[in-house]
Structures are given as structure tokens and as C-alpha cells.
């Protein structure tokens, strides 16, 4: 079984401040983890993914995430928020060769000027 | 590649009418997923196919919903009869074989049932 928990359905940060979006996972086998972003009226697009090659993963638009097995976490960070980062972010887990991907409930990021 | 193609992008219909949503996957992707997104329930997996075969349809809300994948390049999601509570954005996503791969999402179909 696999599941994902995203803490905080809404997060607000000031422009230029650190962005931290939290994700914890549960998986019975080594997981593959993903962060997706959804801009208004668009589909989801991949930000970054963890595939066991490196625990710190860098993605597009300056985002990165660190896989911590001991904490079963895969939190998303960005050092300095930009207005264009305002969107909804989804964490997702895929267990091994299983095709099914389980998504979290999403976190809406608001960036305050 | 054009990515995942969905049609129509918007659909407005009246309660009781049949609605058919269409999806063309990325060439070479052998898994296809249908999702529904609403404010109340978020992103829900309805059904997914692997090599054109339905693998898990436990998310299909009720018998009014049906999905088919007659070949590797086309899938449909049908609602008959439609109800106002079916109003949502429906996404199709596809996945290539391989353990490290991610899903690619289409732009979605916004369905409004009056």
C-alpha cells in the first residue's frame, strides 16, 4: 500500500522568502516520489522526481526536494519565492514497478508581494 | 511530441445527456489514467489501463461512468446519463513503461452539467 500526506492545504509566503511545502509518504517498497505543479486552468506538470539516485533532487524553476528515509519525508523547498510560483503543488508516490501513482491532496501556495 | 491530447477542452451539457471525453496518449506510453478534479474532493483516480486493459476501476463513481481503450492511441470516458454533480475537470494522464517514469497530464476537459 502507498499513501501521501501533505501538511497544509494553503501556504502563504512573502515574495523573496523561503518556500517549504511538506510531504510525508508511506510505501511498503522503496518509493519513487514526485512533485507536480498545477497553474490555474492547466494540467499538472512535473517539477522534480526522486528515483533513488540522489537524496537531494533539483527540479525546474529553482525548486528542490530532499528524500529522508528515516523521516519518510520528501519536502519541497525554494530559497526565494517569486510571484510566478503561486500555484497548487502535489506530492505523489509510486511504489516500485507498480504503475499506479498516489497523489496527495495538494497545497496551494500564495505569494504575497 | 504534442503531449497528451484531450478533447473537448470545455463541455457544457444538460442533465441527462450523454457526455464523451476523449484522450490521445503520448506515443509509446502504455499506461493511461483518468482523473477527476473538484474543489471538494481534489484529484481522484477514476480508472487506469495498462496495455489497453483496464487494471483498476475502483474509483469509478457508479455505473453511469464507463471508460474504454480500444487501442494504444485512444481512450474515452463516457458519462450516461450526466448529472450536475459530475461537473468537474477531467484529466487524462499517460505513463511510459519503466520504474522511474512519471505521468504526463493532458490539459483537462472542464465539464459543466446544468
Amino acid at each position: 500500500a502507498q499513501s501521501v500526506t501533505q501538511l497544509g492545504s494553503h501556504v502563504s509566503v512573502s515574495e523573496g522568502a523561503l518556500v517549504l511545502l511538506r510531504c510525508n509518504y508511506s510505501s511498503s517498497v522503496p518509493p519513487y516520489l514526485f512533485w507536480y505543479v498545477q497553474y490555474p486552468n492547466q494540467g499538472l506538470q512535473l517539477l522534480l522526481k526522486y528515483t533513488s539516485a540522489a537524496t537531494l533532487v533539483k527540479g525546474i524553476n529553482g525548486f528542490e526536494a530532499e528524500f529522508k528515509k528515516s523521516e519518510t519525508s520528501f519536502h519541497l523547498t525554494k530559497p526565494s519565492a517569486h510571484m510566478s510560483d503561486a500555484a497548487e503543488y502535489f506530492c505523489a508516490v509510486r511504489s516500485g514497478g507498480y504503475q499506479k501513482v498516489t497523489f496527495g491532496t495538494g497545497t496551494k501556495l500564495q505569494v504575497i508581494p | 511530441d504534442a503531449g497528451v491530447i484531450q478533447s473537448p477542452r470545455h463541455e457544457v451539457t444538460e442533465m441527462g445527456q450523454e457526455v464523451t471525453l476523449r484522450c490521445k496518449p503520448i506515443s509509446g506510453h502504455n499506461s493511461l489514467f483518468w482523473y477527476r478534479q473538484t474543489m471538494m474532493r481534489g484529484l481522484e483516480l477514476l480508472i487506469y489501463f495498462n496495455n489497453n486493459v483496464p487494471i483498476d476501476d475502483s474509483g469509478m463513481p457508479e455505473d453511469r461512468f464507463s471508460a474504454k481503450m480500444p487501442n494504444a492511441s485512444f481512450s474515452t470516458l463516457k458519462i450516461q446519463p450526466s448529472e450536475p454533480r459530475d461537473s468537474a475537470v477531467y484529466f487524462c494522464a499517460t505513463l511510459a513503461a519503466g520504474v522511474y517514469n512519471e505521468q504526463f497530464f493532458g490539459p483537462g476537459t472542464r465539464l459543466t452539467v446544468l
Side-chain angles (χ1 to χ4, degrees), chain B residues 24-112:
Chain B
K24 178 178 170 56
I26 294 172
S27 177
H29 284 201
N30 65 337
S31 296
L32 183 142
F33 304 75
W34 282 102
Y35 291 90
R36 177 172 69 177
Q37 187 178 39
T38 61
M39 291 288 290
M40 291 299 293
R41 293 189 297 271
L43 191 66
E44 303 172 277
L45 176 64
L46 301 177
I47 185 171
Y48 81 92
F49 297 83
N50 190 49
N51 294 324
N52 312 336
V53 176
I55 303 300
D56 183 352
D57 66 353
S58 60
M60 296 286 263
E62 48 199 275
D63 291 346
R64 298 185 297 107
F65 285 69
S66 63
K68 294 182 179 180
M69 192 164 186
N71 57 60
S73 58
F74 184 64
S75 177
T76 59
L77 177 67
K78 186 176 292 187
I79 308 172
Q80 166 63 20
S82 58
E83 297 183 2
R85 59 191 168 125
D86 301 330
S87 297
V89 181
Y90 291 81
F91 289 105
C92 176
T94 68
L95 174 70
V99 296
Y100 301 131
N101 292 330
E102 69 274 15
Q103 290 181 337
F104 287 80
F105 279 75
T109 295
R110 182 174 295 277
L111 173 65
T112 302

Side-chain angles (χ1 to χ4, degrees), chain A residues 47-48 58-64 77-80 85:
Chain A
L47 264 181
L48 50 81
K58 294 187 183 299
I60 62 172
N61 301 336
F63 284 93
E64 61 182 36
T77 60
K78 182 174 180 177
S80 177
D85 295 327

Side-chain angles (χ1 to χ4, degrees), chain A residues 40-55:
Chain A
N41 300 314
Q42 294 186 25
L44 280 70
Q45 54 184 281
L46 184 72
L47 264 181
L48 50 81
K49 63 181 178 181
Y50 166 74
T51 59
S52 76
T55 57

